[in-house]
Each structure stands twice: as C-alpha cells, then as structure tokens.
Amino acid sequence: MSLPRIASLVAIGFALSTCALGSEFDDLQADIARHTNGLTDSARLAREALEPSALILDTDRDPLDIVLRRTQALLDDLLVMPKHPDLANESDTLSALRKKSQSVLPGDPARRVLFDEACALRRGIAFSNPLLDFSDVLFLKHDRATYQHMVDQYFGFRAVPGGGVFVLQNAFAESPSVRNVLADSVVESGRLKGQSLDKGSFISLELSYDARRVLFAWTQAAVPVEPTDLTPHKDLWTPESTYHIFAANLDGTGLTQLTDGAWNDFDPCFLPNGRICFISERRGGFLRCGVRPDPTYTLHSMRADGSDIIPLSYHETHEWHPSVNNDGMIVYSRWDYVDRDSDIAHHLWLTFPDGRDPRSFHGNYPAVRESRPWMELSIRAVPNAHTYVATSTPHHGQNYGSLVLIDMRGPDDRSMSQIRRITPEVALPEAETAPGVPGKLHGGKNTANAEVYGTAWPLSEKYYLCVYDLGQKNYGLYLLDAFGNRELLYRDPAMACLDPIPLRPRPLPPVIPTRTRQAIEDREDPVGSGHFADLESTGRVAIMNIYESELPWPEGTKISALRIIQLFPKTTPAANEPKIGFGEQSLARGVLGTVPVEADGSVFCEVPAGVPFYFQALDEEGRAVQTMRSDTYVHPGETLSCVGCHEPKKQAPRNPTPLAMQKAPASLIPPPDGAYPLLFSRLVQPVLDRQCTECHAKYEKAPKLDGKTFGEFGWSTAYHEIAPFGWAKHGGNGALAKNETSYSIPGKVGARASKLLEILKDDAHKEAKFTKDDLARLTLWLDCNSVFYGDYLETEKQARGESVMPKIF
C-alpha cells in the first residue's frame, strides 16, 4: 500500500473511530481497567478465546500497546494466506511505530498520536485482506424492537418504523457510498400491490447464491391497540401488524410479496433445491412462559413464488434463523425444553432441507446454564470449514451479544468445550456478569450490557462482517477479525444497521434428495403404484439398537418396549394456565402407543406424521427406564432413524442387520383409556375408585382420594393427595436447580424413581388387589410427569372425567 493511501486512511480512520459513542481508545482503556481490577476471569478467557491476541494481557500498559500487537497479529496472519498482499511497507511502518512507542512512556499525550497512526495503519492492512474480493456490502437498516425478548423481537407491532434494503458501495475504499435498493420500487403483487415499502420496518435479509435477488421480511408496523400482557392475541395480530416475506432484484425491480396473513413470517433463506425456507407462526400454539400471547413460530418452506407453503418442523415451541451449511443442511436455532428448564437450551440444530431428522449435536443439555451461552442465534457456516459462527444472545433480550465460533467435532462437555470466543471482551449475555464470570439467576435481568455484536457473516474462521455498537443502539457495519481488531465501514447516525452480506455470488451447496411426501413436487406418483395414500398421514421410526446409549443403563436392564408420547400445542397464552400438573409448566400430552423392542434392541414401527412426540424405553414391567427431554417428529413418508437411545452423536450403528428391519413396520399398540390425552380423571381415578377410595374413607388420617370434589387449580382432591408421591420434572426459568440435571439418567425417571409404587407394596396396602391393568395405568401416569390435565382447554370437563380431545393444528 502506498504511503499517500496510508495518510488518507489516517484521517478517515480517525473520523470513523470517533463517530460512535466514546472512542476506541476509551473503550480499550476500560477493558484494561476491568482486567487490572480483576473484574474478568482472565484464566478462563485465555482457555476459551479463539485468538490470544484478542485478550487483554498483563503486559498491556495502554491502548497503544494493544493496537500495535493486534495489528502485528493481523499482519502476520495475512502474510501466510494464499495470494497474500505485499505488506512490506506496512510491516516497516508498524516496526517504526513500535520503536517510537518504546521511547514514549504511558500517559504522554504523544502516545495518543501514535495510537491514531497505528489505527490508520491497521485499517489499511485490514482492507488488503485477500478475502475481501468484493467491493459492495448488502445490508438492512433496522432499529431494535420495542420489547426485550428473544421471541417478541419478531412481532411486527413491536417494530420501529423506518429502514430499508441498502448497498454500501466501494465499502473498503476511501469514500464509500450508500444506495437504497428499493428507493423507486413498488410492490408488484399481493395485498400491497402498487405501494412502496417506505413507512414500515425491515428485518431478516437474505441474498441469493447468484447474488441477483434478495429476500427480506417487512411489516407495516401497525399497532392495532396498545399492547399489554393481557391484550388478546386476535386484537394484536393483523396483516398490518405482522411481518411478511418479500423478494426483489438487486436493482429494485421485481418487488413481490410472497406471504401474507395475520401471522409473522420472517427469516427467509434460499434452499439449494430452489425452495425458500422461513420461520412462520402459521402452525398455531403459544409459548409456555410469561403471560402475554406469544405465538409459536417454526421452520416452514415454500416455492420461490410463495406458493405451496408447508411446515418443515412440527416442534412444539420456537425456532429461529435458518441458513444452509456447506453440506446443504439447514442449520438453525431451536428452543428446546420438554420437562426441563425453559431458559437452558436454545442452540444449534441441523435438519435436512425437507425438514426430516432434526438433530442437536451441541449444547442442548448444559450442566450449568451460566457456564455457556444461553442462546446461539444467527448461526452461519464458515466457508470451507466445519465450524459455525453464532451470536451468544440473552433469553430476555434481542439478537445481539458476543460472537462465538462453534466446532462440533470434539466432545460436548455440556459447557464450553465446543465453543471459542471470537469477541472475548464481551460477556455472554445473561449467562455472565462480566467476561468469563458466570452470573447468578437474576430473574432474567443479568444481561451484563453485552448486546453489542450481531448478525456476523463469516469470511473465514478469523474474519467477519458484523454489526457492532457498544451503546447497544446505533449499530454500525464493521469488518472484524479474531485478533481483536474492528474497522467501521458505515454507520447511519439516525438508524441502526443489520445483516451485512458480501454482495457477490457464492457456491451453491449440494442439493440433498427429498425423502418426504409433503411438498407438491414430492407428492407425485410417477410409477402409479398407489402406495402414496398409505404414507399421507404416517411415517416410520427405525432404531438400530436401543441399548446404544451415551449414559449407562442400569445393570441387567432389559428393554421390552418403546413408548411414544405426543405433545399437544399450548392453546392458552399464559404459562401454567391451566396448571397441567404439579411439575411447573408441565406439558399436556397423550400416549400414542407402544411397540415391542426386539432381542437385539431394534425397533421399526409406523407413527403418525406431523405431530411432535418423544420416546420412552420401557423395562419388562412396563416402566420407563429412560425418557427424552426433547421432541422429534416425522413427515409423510419419512423414516426417522436413530442408532440408539440418546446415543453418542457421532457413533455409527454397530448392528448391521437389525431384527426389526427384517420385517414390516410394527403398528403401535394402543394405550389404555385415559392415556390420549393423558388425563388423571380417566386414567388414574378409576383405579383409585376400585382399589383405594372406599378403604381410605374409613380412616380419618388416610388421604382422601375423592375424584368428585375439586380444589386449587381445579385439581381433584384425589390428585392433590396423591401428586406428592408422584414423579415430575419442572419447566420454567431456574428449573435446572429443581431438576438437578437437564438430561434424564437411565433408571432414575418416572415410576422407577417415584414413591407411589413402593408405598403400594407396604403392609398398609397388603389387602389391595391391584390388577396388572391397574399397575400399568399408575405406571404410565408416573412415567408421564404425573399430570392432571390432558389439554389446555375445557378444564372443568377434563376434571370431571369427560373426554376432551386436544386442539391439533
């Protein structure tokens, strides 16, 4: 780089570095002070940082020392890249600056002058990166939502009006310019035909692989009524108050509306097969925490013209930010909690582009929730690598935080073993009070002012485009490296930026063949077999060997059957309304049935498609030995295959010809009456009436097991008396402390871990003649979290024992 160019960048770099709140010099001074005063865990950060240069070191006397060594780290890395630039002049200039710095003591104003020169030199070096083989950056302008929550930030009526789709032209030149892509555009189709998108709010930008077309979500940002926690859902969700997906060409032509309706559609991404994956509330249901209406949104897909919208996911709570990895798989974030802590698991998941076989390879069962990111959002695969960049974000906040690199090739220690910090100067929001310092449960308040980075686009494992603002408001576009260097590319003083994307074509990932019967193009029957009709409403589950387990089975365990339990969508907005059972935030559920397990541990059975369910492995007495704390599902025509029961994630099956797969898929054996939905008044109360109620009524101190009188929560007297002897795991914020682990331990779940069955064997109950069916009913109830209600509606009918079928969307 020429010396005149460096001189120009000195002035430009200084101006850009001082246009944000404070300055880089002041920020680094603050970082040094935190380090010196022991407010960060330096030893932990040293273990977890992707690059040591990004840390504050004991030898750093002031910001000049930091910038000089970080610039040297950047220069050294660029010089080992293929097609690296000639940086001899820059290297000499850096050496000269370092020599000057040695002769000027900290505190001398001359060091601030040297600091500015070092920053300008760094900027020139950073912009010579061969990975910057593009000149323009596509991005959005988007201000933070008006409500601090990971879910609510994507409700259109919470959006701040303004923004748009823009291109930063000549982003790495001395005088970049900004072009408004939609400045002269009007919508060419749909409800908004003929209108411009100049008064609403934009989010979720995506660029096609050929760099010719963009996708984004836009809302009119109308607020039909002033929202409160008790405002009915129907009063807030309208076509004018929700996000919808649009497409346009890069020149602003072809602006089309792809989705519409009284639900939020957002986070679109192009799939290699030509379809579009996105997030939508269309399936219905609500989340299970808080009291306000928060509709569930999950993965969907559609054709490129907006037709043939289908669900890819039947998960029972929220999902975010699908993107496509280097292998053609969808990577996304999923909020996962079945009978466990509600704030503990919203991390990386993978699924095929047709939605089948959703898997968590990382972070789903933390041992200590404050020891790792609470959430991982905006996950994207690093080019030509096995790693992913993500933003560690808060649960009670928005999609900003500290950047991390995820590498799932190593073992998951339920903490940070698969994670490296790209930005170790920033705490993991809500998990930490300061960088490296685990927080304590503060009722969702512990965000550590750390929502400063967002929406990183990886150029490699060490270089990124992202947004950043230490003030957590007016985010600018930055070029970031893992050595701790940041270069501001653009900041609008009036509005925040979001979603920077290099404006260039990128390789199309492989197209993975579809193996479901859901999309229109996959429903055809080219050979005329007529077999498709049998697959419309069902799929199959194949387990190679249920004994293959990450955690050891109890010695001598024989698994006789697999139980499959469906989870029902929550149809009431407020958590614990109704209170399904004594386990906090219990889920309504129903047993679909059981299927025998072969002698070699294999299972092959037919199951309903399009519903979330989980598995339990049963012993010879029909008691659960292991239970899932997550859910899965199948699509029409899909065969979901597992190696074993919570098997090690990278293990291949060691059972080459499973017995179950040598025959036709088994049909589920229906459960007893009262198990679908699982309702205490129909499943358990009849046993109590036959065997217990009359005898207990004779003794004043004996628990009264009356099923016809009701108390708190609408529960029967019998349930109030018997529930303390049941077994349940809890949901909700902080439930990990009650549950002790986020995962299930074989042999320590359900009936095997409850007190009730042991009590029935004592001398006081020796005259009771419990039949095999009686014990099976009690066991089933205990294994399924000992709930009272089987659904969220018509609770009085349920309590009286009337059959109330759940609402299935």
Side-chain angles (χ1 to χ4, degrees):
M1 181 177 293
S2 67
L3 291 178
R5 173 84 189 277
I6 293 176
S8 297
L9 288 172
V10 169
I12 295 170
F14 181 76
L16 287 172
S17 68
T18 56
C19 70
L21 294 174
S23 69
E24 183 179 3
F25 190 91
D26 296 335
D27 296 344
L28 291 175
Q29 287 278 43
D31 290 344
I32 292 171
R34 284 191 304 172
H35 174 82
T36 303
N37 294 325
L39 300 181
T40 63
D41 187 338
S42 299
R44 179 183 174 187
L45 294 178
R47 294 193 303 270
E48 297 173 358
L50 180 60
E51 287 291 337
S53 297
L55 300 168
I56 301 297
L57 306 180
D58 292 339
T59 54
D60 291 328
R61 299 169 298 171
D62 67 357
L64 177 59
D65 285 344
I66 297 173
V67 169
L68 288 173
R69 65 174 178 79
R70 289 179 176 175
T71 303
Q72 186 67 59
L74 168 62
L75 187 146
D76 291 343
D77 191 68
L78 295 181
L79 289 177
V80 298
M81 285 187 177
K83 300 180 181 179
H84 64 78
D86 180 3
L87 295 173
N89 289 337
E90 287 78 3
S91 181
D92 290 344
T93 303
L94 183 58
S95 297
L97 283 172
R98 185 180 295 106
K99 186 174 181 179
K100 287 182 182 179
S101 74
Q102 293 169 355
S103 62
V104 182
L105 294 177
D108 189 322
R111 288 184 69 86
R112 179 58 189 264
V113 176
L114 293 176
F115 175 84
D116 293 337
E117 293 179 9
C119 287
L121 175 66
R122 178 192 64 191
R123 187 173 181 84
I125 294 172
F127 287 178
S128 68
N129 192 326
L131 294 174
L132 303 180
D133 57 352
F134 54 96
S135 61
D136 298 347
V137 175
L138 182 71
F139 70 101
L140 289 181
K141 291 186 182 180
H142 165 87
D143 276 332
R144 291 173 64 110
T146 61
Y147 194 93
Q148 287 293 99
H149 196 274
M150 58 174 187
V151 173
D152 303 63
Q153 64 180 315
Y154 295 110
F155 297 159
F157 62 87
R158 299 289 191 187
V160 175
V165 181
F166 295 87
V167 173
L168 182 63
Q169 300 175 130
N170 299 312
F172 311 106
E174 296 176 9
S175 301
S177 60
V178 174
R179 175 173 68 88
N180 185 344
V181 173
L182 303 178
D184 302 314
S185 303
V186 294
V187 181
E188 298 180 2
S189 66
R191 175 173 53 88
L192 299 171
K193 184 176 180 179
Q195 298 184 34
S196 61
L197 305 183
D198 57 351
K199 295 180 181 179
S201 182
F202 295 75
I203 205 166
S204 308
L205 184 63
E206 170 81 350
L207 177 66
S208 63
Y209 289 99
D210 61 7
R212 295 179 179 178
R213 197 154 171 81
V214 296
L215 298 172
F216 57 90
W218 181 84
T219 176
Q220 290 167 266
V223 183
V225 296
E226 190 61 32
T228 70
D229 284 351
L230 301 179
T231 305
H233 169 262
K234 64 180 178 61
D235 293 342
L236 282 173
W237 269 258
T238 71
E240 295 76 25
S241 71
T242 51
Y243 279 106
H244 312 297
I245 294 174
F246 291 76
N249 298 319
L250 257 296
D251 61 2
T253 62
L255 177 59
T256 56
Q257 182 175 355
L258 300 182
T259 69
D260 201 0
W263 42 66
N264 289 284
D265 298 324
F266 56 98
D267 281 348
C269 79
F270 290 99
L271 297 178
N273 64 6
R275 291 182 69 91
I276 294 170
C277 177
F278 65 103
I279 298 293
S280 178
E281 298 169 343
R282 293 164 183 267
R283 279 190 42 237
F286 296 97
L287 59 65
R288 295 184 271 111
C289 72
V291 296
R292 66 202 181 282
D294 273 26
T296 299
Y297 44 70
T298 57
L299 295 174
H300 286 65
S301 84
M302 60 183 167
R303 284 180 160 176
D305 61 1
S307 64
D308 190 33
I309 295 176
I310 60 173
L312 294 184
S313 168
Y314 299 97
H315 180 51
E316 55 88 34
T317 190
H318 293 72
E319 296 167 337
W320 296 265
H321 303 161
S323 63
V324 178
N325 73 5
N326 301 324
D327 299 321
M329 299 283 285
I330 296 174
V331 56
Y332 63 107
S333 301
R334 167 169 153 172
W335 189 8
D336 199 48
Y337 68 114
V338 175
D339 301 331
R340 57 191 173 116
D341 195 308
S342 63
D343 293 24
I344 202 166
H346 358 56
H347 300 104
L348 183 154
W349 281 69
L350 289 170
T351 189
F352 285 88
D354 57 4
R356 59 189 162 89
D357 198 13
R359 298 282 175 139
S360 167
F361 290 88
H362 155 86
N364 202 32
Y365 298 101
V368 178
R369 66 183 196 165
E370 287 78 25
S371 74
R372 53 157 297 119
W374 265 31
M375 289 196 76
E376 294 163 355
L377 293 180
S378 295
I379 303 170
R380 287 194 179 272
V382 175
N384 305 309
H386 297 280
T387 48
Y388 298 85
V389 64
T391 308
S392 169
T393 73
H395 176 106
H396 302 90
Q398 297 186 42
N399 183 25
Y400 304 94
S402 185
L403 301 184
V404 297
L405 190 74
I406 301 170
D407 188 342
M408 298 182 291
R409 289 174 295 176
D412 183 0
D413 68 351
R414 308 188 195 279
S415 185
M416 291 286 288
S417 63
Q418 297 178 323
I419 299 172
R420 289 294 175 266
R421 299 176 191 246
I422 299 169
T423 56
E425 81 280 9
V426 178
L428 306 178
E430 208 154 15
E432 297 180 330
T433 55
V437 181
K440 297 179 181 178
L441 180 61
H442 291 157
K445 307 294 186 184
N446 182 29
T447 58
N449 294 320
E451 295 180 59
V452 297
Y453 288 98
T455 56
W457 185 280
L459 306 175
S460 72
E461 289 185 342
K462 297 179 182 179
Y463 300 94
Y464 305 86
L465 299 178
C466 67
V467 298
Y468 169 83
D469 181 43
L470 193 59
Q472 304 177 107
K473 181 180 180 181
N474 188 23
Y475 298 90
L477 303 179
Y478 279 80
L479 173 65
L480 173 78
D481 65 48
F483 308 109
N485 302 302
R486 269 189 319 267
E487 295 299 334
L488 178 61
L489 305 178
Y490 172 76
R491 188 188 300 273
D492 182 339
M495 192 166 200
C497 299
L498 194 71
D499 292 335
I501 303 174
L503 188 45
R504 64 177 177 191
R506 63 191 194 274
L508 184 71
V511 177
I512 300 175
T514 299
R515 294 183 179 176
T516 65
R517 307 282 201 277
Q518 196 162 235
I520 287 177
E521 54 266 33
D522 303 319
R523 297 180 206 162
E524 297 174 355
D525 186 9
V527 297
S529 67
H531 185 58
F532 168 66
D534 298 331
L535 298 175
E536 278 279 356
S537 61
T538 63
R540 296 171 179 179
V541 169
I543 299 175
M544 305 302 109
N545 182 358
I546 204 166
Y547 297 106
E548 295 284 358
S549 173
E550 186 174 9
L551 299 174
W553 295 94
E555 187 174 352
T557 297
K558 181 179 179 181
I559 301 302
S560 65
L562 183 75
R563 181 187 290 145
I564 302 178
I565 303 160
Q566 180 179 342
L567 302 175
F568 301 137
K570 193 173 191 306
T571 47
T572 54
N576 267 348
E577 290 183 12
K579 191 170 171 61
I580 296 296
F582 78 94
E584 291 299 317
Q585 294 189 21
S586 282
L587 292 79
R589 66 199 82 195
V591 178
L592 291 167
T594 58
V595 63
V597 174
E598 300 288 346
D600 62 352
S602 62
V603 176
F604 188 36
C605 64
E606 195 168 55
V607 293
V611 298
F613 54 75
Y614 67 99
F615 303 126
Q616 291 183 334
L618 310 183
D619 64 17
E620 293 178 287
E621 296 181 39
R623 303 174 300 175
V625 181
Q626 178 64 302
T627 183
M628 285 175 64
R629 306 282 280 280
S630 180
D631 68 56
T632 191
Y633 41 80
V634 296
H635 301 77
E638 176 185 354
T639 296
L640 173 67
S641 298
C642 304
V643 175
C645 183
H646 287 252
E647 75 278 1
K649 297 177 179 63
K650 299 176 179 63
Q651 177 176 300
R654 292 179 285 186
N655 190 359
T657 54
L659 295 174
M661 266 56 80
Q662 298 177 30
K663 59 184 77 172
S667 298
L668 294 176
I669 300 170
D673 178 58
Y676 189 95
L678 201 150
L679 190 57
F680 180 86
S681 60
R682 293 179 68 87
L683 182 68
V684 176
Q685 190 64 48
V687 177
L688 303 181
D689 290 343
R690 285 195 302 269
Q691 304 291 355
C692 310
T693 303
E694 183 178 350
C695 183
H696 274 239
K698 298 176 182 177
Y699 301 96
E700 183 178 347
K701 295 185 178 180
K704 300 301 180 281
L705 302 180
D706 177 17
K708 297 181 180 179
T709 60
F710 307 96
E712 191 177 15
F713 312 122
W715 296 346
S716 67
T717 298
Y719 183 80
H720 276 287
E721 293 286 1
I722 200 174
F725 304 101
W727 179 87
K729 291 297 183 182
H730 303 276
N733 190 355
L736 179 59
K738 300 177 185 177
N739 295 337
E740 298 182 344
T741 65
S742 58
Y743 49 89
S744 295
I745 300 175
K748 296 184 178 181
V749 300
R752 291 171 65 117
S754 76
K755 302 175 184 177
L756 182 61
L757 293 188
E758 290 302 315
I759 290 173
L760 297 183
K761 297 177 183 178
D762 63 23
D763 290 341
H765 295 88
K766 61 184 178 181
E767 295 183 6
K769 306 297 182 183
F770 290 98
T771 66
K772 185 176 180 180
D773 178 71
D774 292 337
L775 293 175
R777 285 171 169 267
L778 294 174
T779 296
L780 181 59
W781 175 71
L782 292 166
D783 286 347
C784 293
N785 229 49
S786 306
V787 298
F788 182 72
Y789 294 117
D791 189 40
Y792 303 96
L793 302 175
E794 299 186 282
T795 54
E796 291 185 4
K797 288 184 178 180
Q798 294 184 61
R800 294 194 301 266
E802 297 181 32
S803 180
V804 175
M805 293 306 294
K807 183 178 180 181
I808 307 297
F809 298 102

